[in-house]
Amino acid sequence: MNDVTQPSRRQLLTLIGRMGGAAAMYQAMTALGHAAETQFTGPPVLSGAKPGASVVVLGAGLAGMVAAYELEKAGYSVKILEFQDRPGGRNYSLRGGDSFTESDGTVQKVTFAPGNYVNPGPWRIPHHHKCLLHYCRQFGVALEPFIQLNHNGFIHSSDAFGGKPMRYREVAVDFKGHTSELLAKALGAGALDQSVTAEDKEKLLEALRNWGLLDANMAYTSSVHVSSQRGYDRPPGGGINGAPTPSQIAKLSDVFSPQVWTAMSFYFNYVMQTTMFQPVGGMDMIGKAFAKHVGKSITYNAKVTKVAQNGKGVTVSYQDVPSGKVNTVSADWCVCTIPLSIIRQVEMQVGPKLAAAMKAVPYAGHIKMGLEFKRRFWEEDDAIYGGHSFTDQAIGQLSYPNDRFFSNGPAVLLGAFTSGAGAFQLAGMTPAERIEAALKQGEVFHPQYRKEYLSGVSVPWTRVPWILGCTSRWSEENRAAHYQNLVALDGRVVLAGEHASYYGGWMEGSMLSGLDAIAQIHKRASAA
Amino acid sequence: MRRGLLLLPPLAMLALPFIASAQDMPGSMQAKNNTAEGGKIFKEICAACHLPDARGTGAIPALAKDANLADPAYPIGVLAKGKGAMPPMDDILTPAQMAAVITYVRTNFGNAYPQPVTEADVKRLGKP
């Protein structure tokens, strides 16, 4: 039936599965068009909800609101309790007139010009996050490109290139060129003859010559040819001085700075690949769009203190924060999207497995800073339109605004986005100290910083009172021990949120988890 | 799609290392924090959550007047392995840095446990 030289797709996949394990097979299946790129295939179809069936949702972030939206659509009666005075959770934006209070009581006031904003939480949307994009489309949330890969952004490392920032274009082309030359040398010396056939060796040498822009001697050297990728000292022009002059390639030892391949590798990540999007006017447009549909069901300023359940239903106690008054809500089922980092402040009547899972997951602490400048000098002086510049300093990176290119007047850039040691270091400072650090470190890229600076705000997630962290940080051990227990319906309570997903820290993960939570409830409710 | 092709359930497939890069994250590599002095490490790392005076906030516990610090094994275990929402610090701090900052906290903020914690203690008690 099957030609010996033409294995069937099934045989091929089985072979790949045996040889390369599940990951290889999954990737091969994707390549062959078998596996989907996202788990979202459309909104859930929850037909036949029992009349009067009710659900209380804890948290009006995206997980909670998508759950509420679909439950209401299916005929459930839904109530949402939200600790803050606004919808969206981590999906939010800070604009002029807003203030941000840290967990130690420190207040920052935002003074950005009208139209300017910073997205302290989620800020970019991969093109394959189809669940999120589905609801943006459905609710009419206008999206625009998020300029992810900008070849003209900078790469900076204190211990490479003499501490001088280089354009991403320059170092990426040099990395490619130097590694191609080395591999060509190894091939030429016969060092890889055990690994490649003579025919493949010829093909690879040809590839390296073209891919690496090597010269006739298979060396990576400065030339106009190389400059056609890495840029010129004098770019091509017209007339008498039209001929370009080449730029000088960087030294091999500088190019192998980890900062170079870290940035190059970063753009290969599935979640970081172009095309990416952002909502026009701020990320909170998504949360606000959901609130237009489920807002009437939200009780704001409600601090949940206790979740009790028995065989018949759930009773949630909450405090109205302004008055201190304690109320209760009863429902048949509960979707709890409260972050694990603060859920221990809630008395949860759940089984031991879920209780253990809730305590097991650590949180990462990112920081973001928005800096407003008098003008777009990164565009006007440096020809950087969106995208990022990376550094090994605590601020981690700069990200340039992706909207209103070429416009006059003040603009906000992201002056820090970092996690780990850099984020802790900045978070431990006062707001004024953070600004000073961001200006000092950012000046490495842009000497215009001090002259053009207007104002800034810093959001260290470890000091955001309603979450005390940024995103869940699952280890493989924790996944194996606790993930299934965390996401499973426990009696009449089910957890949802980015922490209950394999897309931690992404809105897509929150929403897919919210949809899975209500599918579990609906299935159990329909079976009862 | 022929489901029979899935030799492993989907979740087992996803629990593979490539998922580690699924988070939103900066695209840069941080320079190593080489601070050796305990007080400085506290300020640059711990104060982000536990606050500069170690009083904690919300679900984040205070380290001031903390009886849990009497036995060095406890703070060493927390730093090396994490606890609850606190991530392990072994990717940020060396054993010597952990020893320095634990010693600092044990002798400040109303704590009086003068016996220094050593790098050897951290290596011995912080094993996974």
Side-chain angles (χ1 to χ4, degrees), chain A residues 22-276:
Chain A
M25 191 178 71
Y26 185 77
Q27 277 159 12
M29 287 171 68
T30 309
L32 295 174
H34 270 316
E37 60 182 356
T38 170
Q39 296 196 6
F40 183 75
T41 51
V45 181
L46 309 177
S47 55
K50 291 189 176 156
S54 58
V55 181
V56 58
V57 175
L58 311 183
L62 295 191
M65 288 197 289
V66 75
Y69 175 75
E70 292 295 343
L71 284 167
E72 285 184 349
K73 221 168 73 179
Y76 286 86
S77 160
V78 179
K79 283 192 175 127
I80 309 175
L81 300 177
E82 167 56 46
F83 173 67
Q84 301 189 73
D85 58 2
R86 58 162 185 85
R90 275 165 280 185
N91 173 292
Y92 88 121
S93 307
L94 287 172
R95 300 182 179 79
D98 290 339
S99 68
F100 162 56
T101 304
E102 297 181 39
S103 53
D104 65 351
T106 304
V107 179
Q108 297 182 54
K109 293 200 185 311
V110 186
T111 59
F112 295 160
N116 286 343
Y117 65 88
V118 62
N119 294 323
W123 57 316
R124 49 187 163 192
I125 305 171
H127 61 273
H128 49 83
H129 281 188
K130 289 188 173 173
C131 179
L132 177 61
L133 293 173
H134 163 85
Y135 288 98
C136 286
R137 192 178 280 128
Q138 183 173 335
F139 296 155
V141 177
L143 300 173
E144 62 192 355
F146 178 100
I147 312 297
Q148 174 77 340
L149 173 53
N150 183 342
H151 290 80
N152 212 32
F154 289 109
I155 300 286
H156 167 258
S157 179
S158 320
D159 56 8
F161 309 106
K164 179 178 168 281
M166 302 288 287
R167 301 285 184 172
Y168 174 78
R169 175 187 63 244
E170 297 167 338
V171 297
V173 173
D174 287 347
F175 186 91
K176 187 163 68 77
H178 281 304
T179 51
S180 294
E181 178 185 315
L182 288 174
L183 184 50
K185 272 185 188 154
L187 284 166
L192 301 173
D193 286 354
Q194 299 297 314
S195 309
V196 286
T197 64
E199 191 192 346
D200 284 347
K201 183 173 164 178
E202 282 313 305
K203 281 190 203 163
L204 181 52
L205 283 167
E206 184 60 14
L208 294 170
R209 182 200 305 280
N210 287 284
W211 162 253
L213 304 173
L214 305 185
D215 64 17
N217 302 316
M218 295 298 277
Y220 183 64
T221 50
S222 303
S223 68
V224 169
H225 180 49
V226 163
S227 292
S228 71
Q229 287 194 358
R230 87 181 294 285
Y232 307 85
D233 266 6
R234 185 176 71 184
I240 293 169
N241 288 320
T245 59
S247 60
Q248 296 301 304
I249 62 170
K251 288 203 307 281
L252 180 140
S253 58
D254 282 331
V255 167
F256 291 166
S257 157
Q259 204 64 258
V260 174
W261 54 258
T262 299
M264 294 175 73
S265 176
F266 169 78
Y267 291 118
F268 275 101
N269 282 310
Y270 186 37
V271 285
M272 296 300 168
Q273 292 169 13
T274 57
T275 305
M276 302 194 82

